[in-house]
Amino acid sequence: MYKRQTDTEWAAFLDDDVIPSSTWLADLEADLAPLGDDDAASQGRIEVPLPGDRRATDAERGTAALAESRWITADMAYRREVLQAVSGFDERFTRAFREDSDLALRVVDAGWRLGLGARLSRHPARDRGFLASVRDQIGNADNALMRAKHGYTWRQRAGERPARFLSHLATTALGTAAALGALRGRRWAPAAAAAWGVQTARFAANRMAPGPRTPAELADMALSSALIPPVATFWSAVGALRHRPAPRPDAVLFDRDDTLIADGPYLSDAEKVRPMPGAEIAMRRLRAAQVLVGVVTNQSGIAKGLITHAELSEVNRRVDELLGPFGVWKVCPHTAEDGCRCRKPAPGMIAAAAAKLGARPEQCVMIGDTGADVTAALAAGARAILVPTDATRPSETAMARRRATVAADLCEAVNLALGDIA
């Protein structure tokens, strides 16, 4: 997840094996200068020098593909507020693989643009050792996470080549059938083995054809072509079991004071409404995801005579103007002593807001800054996310860590609600 370690407008990423040009920093500044508020990132150009005296190996050709890849963080600069809005990289991608495509797709889905700059970096193509292509198949588990998060069209959207999974699955099935059939003395076992051999030979030939066809390269291609299908199938299965699609909530409900806007004692002046940090971009994420939103708020100042209904309406109208529109507003005007069913931590407002939105309470998420928000959500059967402030009691945060979820800020809370991060 995104960790705030800088206060600069842009954060630039370079892989540790990338060599920037001598003018890279000045070129980066030139790439960023014309970008507008809707431009989230600028990707640098990657050059992969290949041997001039021989054909490239399979590993070198794989590295060369980076020159045509989209959105790779080998050389990428992101606007800091955009990283905050999507909570940065998803830490479920534990290897340097697919984490950049996932980040980019979430940024694009939130309505920002990603551009290509003119700056140039070199990425040397290095020998990664015998059977490196087999070891790379662990990335199929990350592909499964991409599929769970972004659907089956993620490859097309990310500019990736079509997957070979179905071919690998068929080859693995034929090899397994041949082995089991031979053990059981089945007459069809030789036919299955022959079909497996044809599939494997075709795969190996396609990989060997570009060269360089040295003895070491041919041995690597022959053995790895036999091993890749079952290894890829295994890691795909592991990924599919480990990563299930997270259902989007029917609705996300918010507390008002110290969650959406800065709290003022019984705020009665609409001109003093100030959104909390990250509130605007968090709401942008929800609108882009087409998730219903509402507000449920305790306002005991009404019962205490410290604020009028008209003043409350003006304040709420201003919140709607700055951060909305919200699909529903539910306000409790009572004090704790009134014993009503609507005041949080009672679940009444959450149930009523869900009903107004046509949502199921158990498919709603409540985001607030107090233990009352968490307790009300859980009592209604909803999911609760606490975003602590300086006014949140440590006991409330401790309770939320046991029974619900705690987020560092509002943007992280929204991304947790959407299942974009874990």
Side-chain angles (χ1 to χ4, degrees), residues 134-391:
V134 178
R135 296 190 293 274
D136 288 344
Q137 298 311 307
I138 192 173
N140 283 280
D142 299 303
N143 290 340
L145 178 53
M146 289 291 290
R147 188 165 58 249
K149 295 186 66 174
H150 303 287
Y152 285 91
T153 63
W154 74 266
R155 283 183 175 275
Q156 180 181 1
R157 297 176 58 214
E160 290 286 333
R161 291 174 293 180
R164 294 189 57 90
F165 175 70
L166 292 179
S167 175
H168 290 333
L169 181 62
T171 302
T172 302
L174 287 169
T176 303
L180 293 177
L183 288 174
R184 297 179 180 181
R186 305 299 187 187
R187 285 183 294 180
W188 45 260
W196 172 84
V198 169
Q199 285 279 93
T200 302
R202 183 182 297 139
F203 181 39
N206 288 338
R207 299 175 68 212
M208 293 174 181
R213 304 178 193 169
T214 62
E217 177 77 1
L218 292 175
D220 191 333
M221 293 299 96
L223 183 55
S224 64
S225 295
L227 294 175
I228 283 174
V231 174
T233 301
F234 170 79
W235 283 115
S236 294
V238 169
L241 291 173
R242 185 181 295 165
H243 306 298
R244 307 293 178 87
R248 287 292 170 96
D250 290 351
V252 176
L253 306 175
F254 293 89
D255 174 52
R256 194 192 77 175
D257 301 324
D258 266 353
T259 298
L260 289 176
I261 64 171
D263 192 14
Y266 305 108
L267 183 60
S268 60
D269 186 352
E271 294 302 316
K272 294 182 179 179
V273 171
R274 299 289 181 268
M276 291 291 285
E280 294 172 78
I281 50 181
M283 297 311 301
R284 175 175 178 164
R285 282 289 291 118
L286 289 169
R287 285 195 294 272
Q290 300 183 326
V291 173
L292 299 172
V293 292
V295 181
V296 291
T297 176
N298 292 344
Q299 295 297 326
S300 61
I302 294 289
K304 295 175 181 178
L306 300 174
I307 179 175
T308 68
H309 283 282
E311 289 169 334
L312 176 64
S313 295
E314 281 301 301
V315 169
N316 290 347
R317 181 197 61 77
R318 181 61 175 160
V319 177
D320 235 352
E321 185 179 273
L322 293 173
L323 300 174
F326 292 95
V328 62
W329 279 83
K330 290 296 177 182
V331 177
C332 173
H334 308 111
T335 66
E337 292 72 26
D338 291 332
C340 68
R341 296 184 179 181
C342 51
R343 181 179 173 83
K344 294 176 292 185
M349 283 194 293
I350 294 176
K356 181 70 174 179
L357 293 171
R360 298 161 293 175
E362 64 272 18
Q363 294 299 322
C364 292
V365 178
M366 173 71 201
I367 298 176
D369 67 302
T370 69
D373 297 315
V374 172
T375 301
L378 297 178
R383 181 183 173 192
I385 300 177
L386 181 76
V387 183
T389 67
D390 291 341

Side-chain angles (χ1 to χ4, degrees), residues 13-241:
F13 299 91
L14 283 171
D15 279 357
D16 57 3
D17 50 359
V18 161
I19 304 172
S21 69
S22 60
T23 60
W24 181 87
L25 187 57
D27 295 339
L28 171 64
E29 292 177 350
D31 286 341
L32 300 181
L35 300 184
D37 291 342
D38 288 333
D39 294 302
S42 170
Q43 179 180 339
R45 299 177 186 273
I46 300 295
E47 177 186 71
V48 181
L50 294 177
D53 57 345
R54 59 169 173 80
R55 294 182 178 184
T57 65
D58 181 70
E60 291 168 339
R61 291 193 300 273
T63 304
L66 291 174
E68 306 298 327
S69 297
R70 297 173 64 185
W71 307 332
I72 54 171
T73 48
D75 186 346
M76 179 72 91
Y78 271 100
R79 200 180 292 275
R80 186 177 66 89
E81 71 166 8
V82 172
L83 291 176
Q84 180 185 7
V86 300
S87 297
F89 293 103
D90 186 338
E91 293 181 348
R92 286 175 289 182
F93 292 95
T94 57
R95 291 169 292 277
F97 187 66
R98 300 303 188 209
E99 81 292 345
D100 41 14
S101 296
D102 167 66
L103 174 61
L105 284 177
R106 287 186 282 125
V107 168
V108 169
D109 287 345
W112 279 287
R113 294 190 298 261
L114 303 178
L116 182 64
R119 64 191 184 279
L120 183 67
S121 297
R122 297 180 66 198
H123 193 304
R126 297 188 176 95
D127 182 11
R128 296 186 300 119
F130 193 62
L131 297 183
S133 58
V134 178
R135 296 190 293 274
D136 288 344
Q137 298 311 307
I138 192 173
N140 283 280
D142 299 303
N143 290 340
L145 178 53
M146 289 291 290
R147 188 165 58 249
K149 295 186 66 174
H150 303 287
Y152 285 91
T153 63
W154 74 266
R155 283 183 175 275
Q156 180 181 1
R157 297 176 58 214
E160 290 286 333
R161 291 174 293 180
R164 294 189 57 90
F165 175 70
L166 292 179
S167 175
H168 290 333
L169 181 62
T171 302
T172 302
L174 287 169
T176 303
L180 293 177
L183 288 174
R184 297 179 180 181
R186 305 299 187 187
R187 285 183 294 180
W188 45 260
W196 172 84
V198 169
Q199 285 279 93
T200 302
R202 183 182 297 139
F203 181 39
N206 288 338
R207 299 175 68 212
M208 293 174 181
R213 304 178 193 169
T214 62
E217 177 77 1
L218 292 175
D220 191 333
M221 293 299 96
L223 183 55
S224 64
S225 295
L227 294 175
I228 283 174
V231 174
T233 301
F234 170 79
W235 283 115
S236 294
V238 169
L241 291 173

